[in-house]
Structures are given as structure tokens and as C-alpha cells.
């Protein structure tokens, strides 16, 4: 379960690079009730998506040439420079090297050996998100990869994640936890990228999940707001009911109504 007690290797930030920040703010505001707070005149349009005054994500304009609207998941690191070295040693690519974000922290961006993009956040004055796991917030992170056999050792090297393979229908799903974490500390999973996604031009990617009270209502609302359904609502015993969506600019995310303990 995600918490705001961030330790190395756990998700601690999330932001959306958008082709139209104002339109995206309106979409997610209508979907989750989030409000926008600018990070200031020197932030280049970057700002915080908040729920009840607490930051649950962030949003800004696209900054990399050729980039498309997408969510980026950041993982906690105590040393972004050392993490960058580990990424390269493990066969990944440093998309942009570590740099300081005022006094808030230090960040860097990477691509894993299978093509999935992610980032790290080394906290300064900003530790990370102010709410997770609650309704309307990030609750799970999931890597959809074309090559799990290559992805797993990469992330073990970079973050030291522990893994547990579990059967999930016709596939094997890998649950990941941080170093020293038990099953209650699970933070995400690794799944095989479906062939139809590859054929449609979708490569390996990280997918954020947001907790919601009613998946079907959120799916209906997303389509009303101009989003698209990439995978219809599905029940997974012991997990919950979830669906995969895309916002009007193509950024992909999932929503889930998690099963209560014992269900």
C-alpha cells in the first residue's frame, strides 16, 4: 500500500506533461474534483493538482521535443546522481540528468531498457505528494513492459526492489515492494504489455492508478468530458474493480475501486 512515509524506491511524485495544461486541468477537475495551484511565476506554467488543499499530483506543459501528453511517475531516491549512474550501468538511458528544482528537491528522468519512461525525486523542502491511497489520489503504479525479463533485473539494480510473481488469469503478474518491505508495503506491479497494445503503437510505459469510489461512474464521467476507455471496467477478486482510460490528449491512466480486506 502506498503511503506518504516515503523511503528509497517508493513512488513519491506524479506529474502530467500536457499539450494543453488548462484543458487538462478542466478534465481532471471535472473527473476527480482536483483544483490547480500554480507553483509560481518562475515555474514555467508548472503547478499542483490538489484535493482538499493537499497536493495529489502536478501538471505542466510538455518540455521535451517530440513528447506527447503523458503521466510520469517519480520514485524516491536519496541521491539522484548515484541513481543516474545505476541506471546507465543497468542498461537504461538518462533522458535528462539530475538538477535542482529551486530548494524543493532534485530530479532526473530515465528510460528503462524496454522503453518505459520514469523519473526520480530527491526530496529537499518538498518530500513528495501530500496524499495517496485515498479516494481521488494515486494508489498503485504499474509497469506494462514488452520484456519483463529485462525490466525486472534493471529495477532491482536501480532501486533494489523485491519481487513476488503471482498468477493473474493467463499471465504472471509481478508485485514489487521496496527494500525490506513486506507484502503490506507493495507499491506496484510489472505486467506483460498486451500484444494488441504493441500493435497499436503503444510501447512499454508506467501506468498510475487512482482510487475512486465508483469505477463505473468515473468511466462514464470521463467519456462525457472527452476522454476514452482503453480497457472497460473489470472485476479482479481480492483486488477490486478497475478500468483503463485516456484523457482527451491521450495521457493514459487507470482508476480502481479497491476491494475491502477479505473480499
Amino acid at each position: 500500500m502506498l503511503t506518504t512515509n516515503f523511503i528509497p524506491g517508493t513512488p513519491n511524485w506524479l506529474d502530467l506533461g500536457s499539450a494543453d495544461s488548462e484543458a487538462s486541468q478542466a478534465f481532471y477537475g471535472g473527473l476527480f474534483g482536483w483544483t490547480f495551484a500554480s507553483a509560481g511565476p518562475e515555474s514555467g506554467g508548472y503547478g499542483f493538482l490538489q484535493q482538499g488543499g493537499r497536493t495529489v499530483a502536478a501538471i505542466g506543459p510538455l518540455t521535451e521535443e517530440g513528447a506527447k501528453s503523458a503521466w510520469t511517475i517519480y520514485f524516491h531516491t536519496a541521491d539522484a546522481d548515484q541513481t543516474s549512474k545505476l541506471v546507465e550501468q543497468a542498461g537504461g538511458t538518462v533522458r535528462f540528468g539530475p538538477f535542482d528544482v529551486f530548494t524543493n528537491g532534485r530530479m532526473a528522468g530515465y528510460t528503462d531498457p524496454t522503453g518505459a519512461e520514469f523519473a526520480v525525486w530527491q526530496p529537499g523542502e518538498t518530500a513528495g505528494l501530500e496524499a495517496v491511497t485515498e479516494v481521488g489520489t494515486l494508489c498503485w503504479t504499474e509497469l506494462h513492459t514488452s520484456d519483463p525479463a529485462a525490466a525486472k533485473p534493471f529495477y532491482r539494480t536501480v532501486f533494489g526492489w523485491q519481487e513476488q510473481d503471482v498468477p493473474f488469469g493467463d499471465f504472471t503478474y509481478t508485485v514489487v515492494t521496496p527494500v525490506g518491505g513486506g507484502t503490506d508495503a507493495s507499491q506496484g506491479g510489472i505486467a506483460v504489455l498486451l500484444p494488441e497494445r504493441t500493435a497499436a503503437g503503444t510501447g512499454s510505459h508506467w501506468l498510475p492508478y487512482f482510487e475512486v469510489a465508483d469505477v463505473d461512474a468515473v468511466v462514464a464521467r470521463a467519456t462525457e468530458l472527452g476522454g476514452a476507455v482503453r480497457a472497460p471496467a473489470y472485476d479482479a477478486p481480492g483486488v477490486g474493480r478497475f478500468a483503463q482510460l485516456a484523457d482527451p490528449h491521450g495521457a493514459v491512466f487507470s482508476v480502481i475501486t479497491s476491494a475491502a480486506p477479505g473480499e
Side-chain angles (χ1 to χ4, degrees):
M1 180 178 74
L2 299 189
T3 75
T4 54
N5 180 28
F6 304 118
I7 61 175
T10 60
N12 66 342
W13 195 254
L14 174 77
D15 65 20
L16 174 67
S18 174
D20 187 335
S21 293
E22 290 188 3
S24 293
Q25 292 166 30
F27 173 81
Y28 289 100
L31 191 65
F32 296 132
W34 293 344
T35 57
F36 175 76
S38 172
E42 299 178 349
S43 66
Y46 194 84
F48 310 114
L49 296 167
Q50 299 184 324
Q51 178 173 273
R54 295 180 295 170
T55 297
V56 298
I59 186 172
L62 297 173
T63 58
E64 296 182 61
E65 185 176 352
K68 299 179 180 179
S69 295
W71 284 99
T72 298
I73 296 170
Y74 293 67
F75 298 96
H76 179 290
T77 179
D79 187 337
D81 295 87
Q82 177 61 23
T83 300
S84 296
K85 294 177 182 178
L86 291 173
V87 165
E88 292 182 319
Q89 291 171 9
T93 302
V94 177
R95 292 197 333 277
F96 56 87
F99 67 93
D100 293 323
V101 183
F102 305 110
T103 57
N104 296 303
R106 190 165 172 80
M107 65 179 286
Y110 313 112
T111 304
D112 76 19
T114 75
E117 297 184 353
F118 67 103
V120 293
W121 179 253
Q122 178 185 329
E125 294 177 355
T126 300
L129 300 176
E130 296 174 334
V132 295
T133 308
E134 304 171 12
V135 169
T137 71
L138 180 71
C139 65
W140 191 251
T141 61
E142 192 169 80
L143 173 65
H144 290 242
T145 174
S146 58
D147 191 350
K152 292 178 187 180
F154 170 80
Y155 289 101
R156 279 200 300 270
T157 297
V158 174
F159 295 124
W161 287 346
Q162 301 171 160
E163 306 163 3
Q164 180 183 5
D165 290 337
V166 295
F168 191 83
D170 296 330
F171 304 96
T172 297
Y173 189 85
T174 301
V175 176
V176 297
T177 58
V179 176
T183 54
D184 289 344
S186 58
Q187 65 190 44
I190 298 174
V192 177
L193 183 67
L194 296 176
E196 55 266 33
R197 296 292 186 215
T198 303
T202 300
S204 299
H205 61 280
W206 277 96
L207 182 72
Y209 278 68
F210 300 104
E211 186 72 34
V212 296
D214 185 334
V215 163
D216 296 278
V218 171
V219 169
R221 181 60 175 154
T223 57
E224 290 174 1
L225 292 167
V229 179
R230 283 172 52 94
Y234 174 81
D235 289 308
V239 176
R241 184 168 176 79
F242 57 91
Q244 188 178 130
L245 305 171
D247 71 20
H249 301 289
V252 180
F253 62 101
S254 283
V255 291
I256 183 170
T257 300
S258 298
E263 286 187 355

